[in-house]
Amino acid sequence: MRSDANIAGPMTDPVPGPRTESTGADVSRETPPPMDDTPIGRAAQLAVEALGRAGEGLPRPEQTRVIVVANQKGGVGKTTTTVNLAASLALHGSRVLVIDLDPQGNASTALGIDHHAEVPSIYDVLVESKPLAEVVQPVPDVEGLFCAPATIDLAGAEIELVSLVARESRLQRAIQAYEQPLDYILIDCPPSLGLLTVNAMVAGQEVLIPIQCEYYALEGLGQLLRNVDLVRGHLNPTLHVSTILLTMYDGRTRLASQVADEVRTHFGDEVLRTSIPRSVRISEAPSYGQTVLTYDPGSSGALSYFEAAREIALRGVGVSYDASQAHLGVRQNDPSMVEGVQ
C-alpha cells in the first residue's frame, strides 16, 4: 500500500515515507520537503497552492450577478476571459452559468459542451422562446459550472430577432424565468454591437470589458461605452461598466506597461489590479475542451484568472482587494511570469 506522502506524484522528491517531528505521545507534525527550485518544481508547487486556494471559497453575492463580457474589437480575449473567470468562480464554490451568445460557439467548445446544429441552444431561447432550463448543460470536470451553448443557427438570429416582439429583452425574460439558484451569469458577446449584444446588455447589470495590452487598445471603446449609455438610458437603467480587465500583458515590453498605465488613468478604479499575461497554456486549453484552470492550474494564466475572479467576487460584496495577499497572481511588471515556452 502506498504511503500518503508519495501521492503528490513524480514532481516531488521521492522519499520512503513522511518525515515527522514528534511533539508528544499522540501528535506528530509532518515536515514538508523543500520546494524544488526549478521551473517544474515551482509549477508543481503553484498548482498545489492554486487548487488549495480554490477550495477556500469566496463570499457569495446576495443576488445573482449578471455580467456581460463585451468588446466589439475582436481578439481581445472575451471568450477566454468569460470561460476562465466562470471556471475560477465555480472552483471557488459559486454556482455559475455561462451564456454563449457568439455564433462561433467558442465558449461552448472551451467548456467541453457539445454544440452541433441539432443541440438545443441559446438560439432556441431567443428566437423560439424555449425555456433557458431546457438548453443549459453542466460543464464536465467543474462542479457548479453550467453553459447555455451557441450553435451555428445563432448566426441568423440578428436578422430573425428584428421582426420579433420585445426583441431587445428576450434574453432578459428567459433569465428571469430561470428558477435554478445561481451566483453569477457570465454572457459572452459576439465581436459586434448588434441585437445579440443589446440583448445581453438589457439582461445584465454589469459590463466587463477585456482590453488587450497592445497598440490601439482603446480604439473603438468609445462606441461600446456610448452603446452602454444608450441601453442604460432607454432599456436598462441598472447597467454600468463595473470591470476592466487587462489581457495579453507582456511585462517584457514597454508598450504593455504604457497601455496599462493609460487604461488605469482613463478608467481608474474600474480596472482590476490583476492582469492576464500572454500565455501559451491559455491558448492551448480550448483545443482540449478545457479551461486553463483544469488544463494547467499551475500556469501563470490560471493563477491570474484565479486572482481576477477573487477580486471580482470581493468587489461585489464591498470588500476591498488586498493586492499584497495575491501571492498567486501575476506580478504586473515581472517578465519572468510571461509564459513564453510553457
Side-chain angles (χ1 to χ4, degrees):
M1 190 167 119
R2 287 189 307 171
S3 166
D4 288 343
N6 296 323
I7 292 177
M11 289 188 284
T12 58
D13 294 331
V15 292
R19 287 169 284 182
T20 62
E21 297 173 2
S22 177
T23 57
D26 299 314
V27 181
S28 67
R29 179 163 54 86
E30 186 172 322
T31 303
M35 187 171 112
D36 185 7
D37 192 23
T38 64
I40 292 177
R42 287 195 296 272
Q45 180 71 18
L46 288 171
V48 170
E49 290 182 11
L51 292 173
R53 184 78 168 269
E56 289 180 5
L58 285 171
R60 301 172 76 169
E62 293 182 1
Q63 59 183 16
T64 304
R65 291 177 64 183
V66 184
I67 301 174
V68 180
V69 184
N71 190 335
Q72 78 272 24
K73 193 172 187 292
V76 300
K78 283 189 304 296
T79 297
T80 299
T81 292
T82 302
V83 298
N84 286 299
L85 283 180
S88 298
L89 290 166
L91 288 169
H92 276 111
S94 298
R95 289 178 59 86
V96 186
L97 170 64
V98 172
I99 296 179
D100 190 354
L101 274 190
D102 190 338
Q104 297 177 84
N106 291 335
S108 306
T109 299
L111 293 174
I113 298 295
D114 189 12
H115 59 105
H116 60 79
E118 288 76 28
V119 171
S121 70
I122 199 67
Y123 168 86
D124 301 298
V125 173
L126 294 174
V127 177
E128 306 293 341
S129 300
K130 184 186 284 286
L132 185 59
E134 294 185 15
V135 307
V136 169
Q137 300 182 41
V139 173
D141 303 325
V142 183
E143 185 178 354
L145 182 57
F146 306 88
C147 177
T151 61
I152 193 62
D153 294 334
L154 199 58
E158 294 272 6
I159 298 172
E160 295 180 71
L161 283 170
V162 170
S163 61
L164 298 180
V165 175
R167 60 190 181 184
E168 301 94 351
S169 58
R170 296 180 74 84
L171 182 60
Q172 178 192 43
R173 293 183 180 188
I175 289 174
Q176 289 174 345
Y178 188 72
E179 296 180 350
Q180 296 298 319
L182 292 168
D183 296 305
Y184 297 89
I185 297 175
L186 273 65
I187 306 175
D188 183 32
C189 293
S192 67
L193 295 175
L195 271 175
L196 291 175
T197 300
V198 170
N199 260 271
M201 289 184 179
V202 173
Q205 298 115 23
E206 307 176 40
V207 178
L208 185 156
I209 306 176
I211 297 178
Q212 63 187 138
C213 294
E214 294 186 353
Y215 198 55
Y216 294 136
L218 298 178
E219 187 170 289
L221 272 186
Q223 184 60 51
L224 173 60
L225 298 175
R226 282 191 291 274
N227 277 36
V228 171
D229 288 339
L230 283 171
V231 171
R232 180 170 58 240
H234 297 280
L235 297 167
N236 181 5
T238 65
L239 186 69
H240 64 287
V241 176
S242 66
T243 309
I244 306 290
L245 177 63
L246 295 167
T247 63
M248 305 179 191
Y249 184 89
D250 188 342
R252 298 169 297 187
T253 67
R254 183 180 301 174
L255 175 63
S257 298
Q258 290 174 341
V259 171
D261 290 342
E262 184 177 357
V263 171
R264 293 183 191 282
T265 300
H266 191 271
F267 290 101
D269 292 340
E270 294 165 359
V271 185
L272 293 185
R273 296 187 183 184
T274 306
S275 61
I276 309 301
R278 281 198 172 277
S279 167
V280 174
R281 292 294 191 241
I282 291 176
S283 303
E284 288 175 345
S287 64
Y288 293 90
Q290 296 184 55
T291 66
V292 72
L293 282 306
T294 55
Y295 177 66
D296 188 353
S299 65
S300 65
L303 301 173
S304 296
Y305 274 117
F306 265 125
E307 285 303 327
R310 184 167 176 265
E311 194 172 348
I312 288 170
L314 292 175
R315 284 184 173 199
V317 295
V319 178
S320 60
Y321 176 77
D322 186 356
S324 67
Q325 300 299 314
H327 61 283
L328 296 181
V330 170
R331 295 184 291 276
Q332 295 290 328
N333 298 304
D334 185 355
S336 68
M337 294 301 287
V338 179
E339 293 178 27
V341 295
Q342 284 188 359

